[in-house]
Amino acid sequence: MQVRDRIEELSDDLTSTERKLSTALLLDYPFAGLEPIQELARATNTSPPSISRFVTKLGFQGFQEFQRHLIGELKQGQRSPVELQASSAPIHGAFLESFLERACAVVKDATKAVSETQFERIADMLADEKRNIYVIGGRMSDPLAQHLSRHLRQIRTKVFHLPSDPEVWPEYLLRMRPRDVLFIVDFRRYQKHLATLAQKATDARHVHVVLMTDEWLSPISAHASEVLAAPIDSSTLWDSYTGALALLEALLTRIADENWDQTKKRIEEWDSVRLDFGEDEDD
């Protein structure tokens, strides 16, 4: 179990000092926990013995084991397909059936990534016509961002998919206004330039960042107002995005259903000006 999950599990049983420590750790997770114990005590106005008792309560033998666990979480977030293949679970029996069973398990676990309250809150943000929506993903995850932006454009206006070239991003940053939404998809082997984009968007433009990431949390989480930590581990050499895609499609369906009159009109107008090249096209 990750440290942040242990903290959340014990949240109702923490003392005031422990709540102060947990808040500091979660605000700059996991890096705050990697500071020397004296520095963490000074930053939280607590004491090294209080921190030692806290990490023991979390299930660790001591502060060093606590930090080793955090370092292990960071390493998990940087594992490559080569590393994943070495620890993957062999698929037995019919390959396709077994693989799809694993994919179904990932989708089922996606229900734990977001509460109904958070789901509704994010859907309302993305549906709010007063907000511009900006969307971008990483090297391998940008197709998820494109899926979101292309469908969202058929529901509402003012949806922009950022290109992959960071040299073009200043133009988009300058368009952003307070309370606009920057939706970023960033899974492990996280991209530093996306974290820089998120920081500039929040600090300089006062934009709300919604982050879709994995359980090890992209560094962008430090700048995000909403985090969707989707499961991606299918015990193969590839991370699975099936759970993340299911979450996006749930958001899109919720937004379209709740705003059906507007969505219907938008799709009809969209189709009326669509170029017809004599070929069938997917919706």
Coordinates of all heavy atoms in Angstrom, one line a residue, residues 51-92:
I51 N 7.6 12.5 14.6 CA 7.6 11.9 13.2 C 7.8 10.4 13.3 O 7.2 9.7 12.5 CB 8.7 12.6 12.3 CG1 8.3 14.1 12.2 CG2 8.8 11.9 11.0 CD1 9.4 14.9 11.5
S52 N 8.7 10.0 14.1 CA 9.0 8.6 14.3 C 7.8 7.8 14.7 O 7.5 6.7 14.2 CB 10.2 8.4 15.3 OG 11.4 8.9 14.8
R53 N 7.0 8.4 15.7 CA 5.8 7.7 16.1 C 4.8 7.7 15.0 O 4.0 6.7 14.9 CB 5.3 8.5 17.4 CG 6.1 8.3 18.6 CD 5.3 8.8 19.9 NE 5.1 10.2 19.8 CZ 6.0 11.1 20.3 NH1 7.1 10.6 20.9 NH2 5.8 12.4 20.3
F54 N 4.7 8.7 14.2 CA 3.8 8.8 13.1 C 4.0 7.7 12.1 O 3.1 7.0 11.6 CB 3.8 10.2 12.5 CG 2.9 10.4 11.3 CD1 1.6 10.2 11.4 CD2 3.5 10.8 10.1 CE1 0.7 10.4 10.3 CE2 2.7 11.0 9.0 CZ 1.3 10.8 9.1
V55 N 5.3 7.6 11.7 CA 5.6 6.6 10.6 C 5.4 5.2 11.2 O 5.1 4.3 10.4 CB 7.0 6.8 10.0 CG1 7.1 8.2 9.4 CG2 8.1 6.6 11.0
T56 N 5.6 5.0 12.4 CA 5.4 3.7 13.1 C 3.9 3.4 13.0 O 3.5 2.3 12.7 CB 5.9 3.7 14.5 OG1 7.3 3.9 14.5 CG2 5.6 2.3 15.2
K57 N 3.1 4.4 13.3 CA 1.6 4.2 13.2 C 1.2 3.9 11.8 O 0.2 3.2 11.6 CB 0.9 5.5 13.6 CG -0.5 5.4 13.9 CD -1.1 6.7 14.5 CE -2.5 6.6 15.0 NZ -3.0 7.8 15.7
L58 N 1.9 4.4 10.8 CA 1.6 4.0 9.4 C 2.1 2.6 9.0 O 1.8 2.2 7.9 CB 2.3 5.0 8.4 CG 1.8 6.5 8.5 CD1 2.7 7.4 7.6 CD2 0.4 6.6 8.1
G59 N 2.8 1.9 9.9 CA 3.2 0.6 9.6 C 4.6 0.3 9.3 O 5.0 -0.8 8.9
F60 N 5.5 1.3 9.5 CA 6.9 1.2 9.2 C 7.7 1.0 10.4 O 7.3 1.5 11.5 CB 7.4 2.5 8.4 CG 6.7 2.7 7.1 CD1 5.7 3.7 7.0 CD2 7.0 1.9 6.0 CE1 5.0 3.8 5.8 CE2 6.3 2.1 4.8 CZ 5.3 3.0 4.7
Q61 N 8.9 0.4 10.3 CA 9.7 0.1 11.4 C 10.5 1.4 11.9 O 10.9 1.4 13.0 CB 10.7 -1.0 11.1 CG 10.1 -2.3 10.8 CD 9.4 -2.9 12.0 OE1 9.9 -2.8 13.2 NE2 8.2 -3.4 11.8
G62 N 10.6 2.3 11.0 CA 11.2 3.6 11.3 C 11.3 4.5 10.2 O 10.7 4.2 9.1
F63 N 11.9 5.7 10.3 CA 11.9 6.7 9.3 C 12.6 6.3 8.1 O 12.3 6.6 6.9 CB 12.5 8.0 9.9 CG 12.2 9.2 9.0 CD1 11.0 9.7 8.9 CD2 13.3 9.8 8.3 CE1 10.7 10.8 8.0 CE2 13.1 10.9 7.5 CZ 11.8 11.4 7.4
Q64 N 13.7 5.5 8.2 CA 14.5 5.0 7.1 C 13.6 4.1 6.2 O 13.7 4.2 5.0 CB 15.8 4.3 7.5 CG 16.8 5.3 8.1 CD 18.1 4.6 8.3 OE1 18.2 3.3 8.6 NE2 19.2 5.3 8.3
E65 N 12.9 3.2 6.8 CA 12.0 2.3 6.1 C 10.9 3.1 5.4 O 10.6 2.8 4.2 CB 11.4 1.2 6.9 CG 10.6 0.2 6.2 CD 9.8 -0.8 7.0 OE1 10.1 -0.8 8.2 OE2 9.0 -1.5 6.5
F66 N 10.4 4.1 6.1 CA 9.4 5.0 5.5 C 9.9 5.6 4.2 O 9.3 5.7 3.2 CB 9.0 6.0 6.5 CG 8.2 7.2 6.0 CD1 6.9 7.1 5.7 CD2 8.9 8.4 5.9 CE1 6.2 8.2 5.3 CE2 8.1 9.5 5.4 CZ 6.8 9.4 5.1
Q67 N 11.2 6.1 4.3 CA 11.8 6.8 3.1 C 12.1 5.8 2.0 O 11.9 6.1 0.8 CB 13.0 7.6 3.5 CG 12.7 8.8 4.4 CD 13.9 9.7 4.5 OE1 15.0 9.3 4.7 NE2 13.6 11.1 4.4
R68 N 12.5 4.6 2.4 CA 12.8 3.6 1.3 C 11.5 3.3 0.6 O 11.5 3.1 -0.6 CB 13.4 2.3 1.9 CG 14.9 2.5 2.3 CD 15.5 1.1 2.5 NE 14.9 0.4 3.7 CZ 15.3 0.5 4.9 NH1 16.4 1.3 5.2 NH2 14.7 -0.2 5.9
H69 N 10.4 3.2 1.3 CA 9.1 3.0 0.6 C 8.8 4.1 -0.3 O 8.3 3.8 -1.5 CB 8.0 2.8 1.7 CG 6.8 2.2 1.2 ND1 6.5 0.9 1.3 CD2 5.7 2.8 0.6 CE1 5.3 0.6 0.8 NE2 4.8 1.7 0.4
L70 N 9.0 5.3 0.1 CA 8.7 6.4 -0.8 C 9.6 6.4 -2.1 O 9.1 6.7 -3.2 CB 8.9 7.8 -0.1 CG 7.8 8.1 0.9 CD1 8.2 9.4 1.7 CD2 6.4 8.3 0.3
I71 N 10.8 6.1 -1.9 CA 11.8 6.0 -3.0 C 11.3 4.9 -4.0 O 11.4 5.0 -5.2 CB 13.2 5.7 -2.5 CG1 13.8 7.0 -1.8 CG2 14.1 5.3 -3.7 CD1 15.1 6.7 -1.1
G72 N 10.8 3.8 -3.4 CA 10.3 2.7 -4.2 C 9.1 3.1 -5.0 O 9.0 2.7 -6.2
E73 N 8.3 4.0 -4.5 CA 7.1 4.5 -5.2 C 7.6 5.3 -6.4 O 7.0 5.3 -7.5 CB 6.2 5.3 -4.3 CG 5.5 4.5 -3.3 CD 4.5 5.3 -2.4 OE1 4.2 6.5 -2.9 OE2 4.2 4.9 -1.3
L74 N 8.6 6.2 -6.1 CA 9.2 7.0 -7.2 C 9.7 6.1 -8.3 O 9.5 6.4 -9.5 CB 10.2 7.9 -6.7 CG 9.8 9.2 -5.9 CD1 11.0 9.9 -5.3 CD2 9.1 10.1 -6.9
K75 N 10.4 5.1 -8.0 CA 11.0 4.2 -9.0 C 9.9 3.5 -9.8 O 10.0 3.3 -11.0 CB 11.9 3.1 -8.3 CG 13.2 3.7 -7.8 CD 14.1 2.6 -7.2 CE 15.4 3.2 -6.7 NZ 16.2 2.1 -6.0
Q76 N 8.8 3.1 -9.2 CA 7.7 2.5 -9.9 C 7.1 3.5 -11.0 O 6.7 3.1 -12.0 CB 6.5 2.2 -8.9 CG 6.8 0.9 -8.1 CD 6.7 -0.3 -8.9 OE1 6.0 -0.4 -10.0 NE2 7.3 -1.4 -8.5
G77 N 7.2 4.8 -10.7 CA 6.7 5.8 -11.6 C 7.6 6.0 -12.8 O 7.2 6.7 -13.8
Q78 N 8.8 5.4 -12.8 CA 9.7 5.6 -13.9 C 10.0 4.2 -14.6 O 10.9 4.2 -15.4 CB 11.0 6.2 -13.4 CG 10.8 7.6 -12.8 CD 10.3 8.6 -13.9 OE1 10.6 8.5 -15.0 NE2 9.5 9.5 -13.4
R79 N 9.3 3.2 -14.3 CA 9.6 1.9 -14.9 C 9.3 1.8 -16.4 O 8.2 2.3 -16.8 CB 8.9 0.8 -14.2 CG 9.3 0.6 -12.7 CD 8.5 -0.6 -12.1 NE 9.0 -1.9 -12.6 CZ 8.4 -3.0 -12.3 NH1 7.3 -3.0 -11.6 NH2 8.9 -4.1 -12.7
S80 N 10.2 1.3 -17.2 CA 10.1 1.2 -18.6 C 9.4 -0.1 -19.0 O 9.4 -1.0 -18.1 CB 11.4 1.3 -19.3 OG 12.2 0.2 -19.1
P81 N 9.0 -0.3 -20.2 CA 8.4 -1.6 -20.7 C 9.4 -2.7 -20.5 O 9.0 -3.9 -20.2 CB 8.1 -1.4 -22.1 CG 7.8 0.1 -22.2 CD 8.8 0.7 -21.3
V82 N 10.7 -2.4 -20.6 CA 11.8 -3.5 -20.4 C 11.7 -4.0 -19.0 O 11.8 -5.2 -18.7 CB 13.2 -2.9 -20.8 CG1 14.2 -4.0 -20.4 CG2 13.2 -2.6 -22.3
E83 N 11.7 -3.0 -18.1 CA 11.6 -3.4 -16.6 C 10.3 -4.1 -16.3 O 10.3 -5.1 -15.5 CB 11.8 -2.2 -15.8 CG 13.2 -1.5 -15.9 CD 13.2 -0.2 -15.2 OE1 12.4 0.7 -15.6 OE2 14.1 0.0 -14.4
L84 N 9.2 -3.6 -16.9 CA 7.9 -4.2 -16.6 C 7.8 -5.7 -17.1 O 7.2 -6.5 -16.5 CB 6.8 -3.4 -17.2 CG 6.5 -2.0 -16.6 CD1 5.6 -1.2 -17.4 CD2 6.0 -2.2 -15.2
Q85 N 8.4 -5.9 -18.3 CA 8.4 -7.3 -18.9 C 9.1 -8.3 -17.9 O 8.7 -9.4 -17.8 CB 9.0 -7.3 -20.3 CG 8.7 -8.5 -21.1 CD 9.5 -9.7 -20.7 OE1 10.6 -9.6 -20.2 NE2 8.9 -10.9 -21.0
A86 N 10.2 -7.8 -17.3 CA 10.9 -8.7 -16.4 C 10.1 -9.2 -15.2 O 10.4 -10.3 -14.7 CB 12.2 -8.0 -16.0
S87 N 9.2 -8.4 -14.8 CA 8.3 -8.7 -13.7 C 6.9 -9.0 -14.0 O 6.0 -9.1 -13.2 CB 8.4 -7.6 -12.6 OG 7.9 -6.4 -13.2
S88 N 6.6 -9.2 -15.3 CA 5.2 -9.4 -15.8 C 4.8 -10.8 -15.5 O 5.6 -11.7 -15.3 CB 5.1 -9.1 -17.3 OG 5.9 -10.0 -18.0
A89 N 3.5 -11.0 -15.3 CA 2.9 -12.3 -15.1 C 2.6 -13.0 -16.4 O 1.9 -12.4 -17.2 CB 1.7 -12.2 -14.2
P90 N 3.1 -14.2 -16.6 CA 2.9 -14.9 -17.9 C 1.4 -15.1 -18.1 O 0.6 -15.3 -17.1 CB 3.6 -16.3 -17.7 CG 4.6 -16.0 -16.6 CD 4.0 -15.0 -15.7
I91 N 1.0 -15.0 -19.3 CA -0.4 -15.3 -19.7 C -0.6 -16.8 -20.0 O 0.1 -17.3 -20.9 CB -0.9 -14.4 -20.9 CG1 -0.9 -12.9 -20.4 CG2 -2.2 -14.9 -21.4 CD1 -1.3 -12.0 -21.5
H92 N -1.5 -17.4 -19.3 CA -1.7 -18.9 -19.5 C -3.0 -19.1 -20.3 O -3.9 -18.3 -20.2 CB -1.7 -19.6 -18.2 CG -0.5 -19.4 -17.4 ND1 0.7 -20.0 -17.7 CD2 -0.2 -18.7 -16.2 CE1 1.6 -19.7 -16.8 NE2 1.1 -18.9 -15.9

